Amino acid sequence: MPPKSRTYQPARVAAALAAQTGALRDAVRRLCERPDAEEWLARPTRLGEWRVRELLAHLAVQIEWLPAHLDDPAEGRPPLDLPRWVERVGALAPLLDDQARARAADGFDGDPASVAAAFDGAADALLGVLARPEAADPARRFEIRLGSMALTEFLVTRLVETVVHADDLADALGPDVLGPDTFPHDRQAVAAVTRMLADAFAELVPGGAVELRVPPYAVVQAVEGPRHTRGTPPNVVETDPLTWIRLATGRADWADAVDSAALSASGERSDLRAHLPLLG
C-alpha cells in the first residue's frame, strides 16, 4: 500500500522540474533550428487537432502559470491534494484547449525563431521562480482553479505536464528531430510522476486485490477484492515507468501494451483497463 500522504522534498521536486524544463527547452531549440522546422511545427500530434505548435503553446501555458500567478492574493479555495487533482483536472480540458489555442496565436504562430524565443521566455520565467527561496518552502501554498495546493505538490503537477507532454512531443517528432534516443527525461522527474500516478491509482481505486509494480519507482496495492498479505500476490501488474504514465494518462492502450510485452498482467483481477486512464 502507498503511504496515506507521500511527502515530496521541495528542493528535489524543484530541481527535477528545472531539469525537465531545460530538456524541453533544448528540444524546442533543436527543432526550431532545423531548415525544415516549419514543416515539423505543423505536424499533427496524438492530441486530437493539436499540431506541434499547439502542443508547444500548451506547454508554455503550463510552465509559465506559476510565475504569472505566484503572487496572486489567496481567495480561500478549498484544499486540493494530488489524487483529487488527478481525478478532477480532466474537467478543465475545454478551458486548457482554449488557452493553448490563444497562446498559439500569441507567440507561437510566427517563424521558428519566434517560436523558440516564446518558449525560452516561458522556460526562463519558471526557472527564475524555481531559483527563489519560496519554491523550496514546504509551508507555501498556491491556488489554482480546482483548489488550494501545497506549492510543492503543485510543482509535482508541473512535472506531470512536462513529462507527459515531452513524451507527446517525442511521439510527434521522433528520432528525426530528437536523435536516436528517446526524449532525455530527467530521472527524478519521471520517478516523481510515476509514484504520484501510482499513489493516485491506489487511492482512487482502493483495495488490495492487485499489486501494481512499476520498477524501480513504485509498488502499490489497489482494486477491491481479497487483500494480499504475504507471499506472491495472486494478481500482479508490472510495467515500466513510461508505459505506466502513458496508460494512466490515456496515451497507451492496455491491450497493445500487453501484446507488445510492455506490460505483464497475471491473475483474474489483473485487467485494469476499466480503471484507466486516470487522467485525461
Side-chain angles (χ1 to χ4, degrees):
M1 294 293 291
K4 289 186 177 179
S5 180
R6 185 183 295 275
T7 299
Y8 292 91
Q9 298 181 21
R12 294 185 68 177
V13 171
L17 182 55
Q20 184 72 7
T21 301
L24 272 166
R25 181 173 58 183
D26 290 345
V28 173
R29 287 175 175 173
R30 195 156 61 248
L31 163 65
C32 292
E33 289 170 355
R34 292 176 60 93
D36 57 352
E38 290 277 7
E39 176 185 339
W40 286 101
L41 288 168
R43 286 285 291 258
T45 71
R46 60 190 178 189
L47 302 175
E49 297 180 356
W50 283 6
R51 303 166 298 166
V52 170
R53 283 185 188 271
E54 283 78 25
L55 172 56
L56 295 182
H58 172 73
L59 265 166
V61 170
Q62 298 309 304
I63 64 179
E64 67 193 4
W65 190 263
L66 178 63
H69 297 281
L70 180 62
D71 297 319
D72 288 357
E75 297 180 1
R77 294 179 182 179
L80 179 73
D81 61 13
L82 285 168
R84 247 46 59 185
W85 178 83
V86 169
E87 185 178 37
R88 298 172 187 172
V89 71
L92 298 180
L95 173 63
L96 296 175
D97 182 60
D98 289 344
Q99 288 178 338
R101 294 181 186 281
R103 191 67 173 91
D106 180 19
F108 288 83
D109 59 342
D111 59 54
S114 67
V115 170
F119 197 87
D120 275 354
D124 287 345
L126 177 60
L127 293 172
V129 167
L130 294 177
R132 291 165 55 178
E134 53 262 55
D137 180 359
R140 182 71 182 256
R141 298 193 69 80
F142 183 69
E143 290 192 350
I144 60 175
R145 288 178 176 85
L146 298 174
S148 171
M149 305 187 77
L151 179 57
T152 297
E153 293 196 347
F154 178 75
L155 295 183
V156 173
T157 73
R158 300 309 87 182
L159 285 176
V160 174
E161 295 287 346
T162 53
V163 168
V164 170
H165 290 310
D167 193 52
D168 292 331
L169 186 63
D171 179 76
L173 301 180
D176 289 339
V177 175
L178 297 180
D181 299 322
T182 57
F183 185 89
H185 297 284
D186 176 74
R187 185 177 186 275
Q188 292 303 319
V190 173
V193 174
T194 301
R195 291 172 182 140
M196 190 276 276
L197 290 172
D199 288 352
F201 179 72
E203 183 156 339
L204 297 174
V205 190
V210 177
E211 186 163 285
L212 170 65
R213 301 172 178 173
V214 193
Y217 302 133
V219 179
V220 299
Q221 290 185 12
V223 183
E224 185 177 356
R227 182 176 298 278
H228 164 69
T229 56
R230 63 175 62 187
T232 302
N235 302 283
V236 176
V237 173
E238 184 166 333
T239 189
D240 64 274
L242 281 177
T243 298
W244 166 240
I245 290 169
R246 291 165 186 159
L247 287 165
T249 61
R251 269 71 175 174
D253 176 76
W254 176 271
D256 290 344
V258 172
D259 290 345
S260 67
L263 178 148
S264 63
S266 60
E268 62 180 12
R269 297 176 183 269
S270 65
D271 189 329
L272 304 182
R273 76 186 80 194
H275 308 295
L276 299 171
L278 294 176
L279 187 154

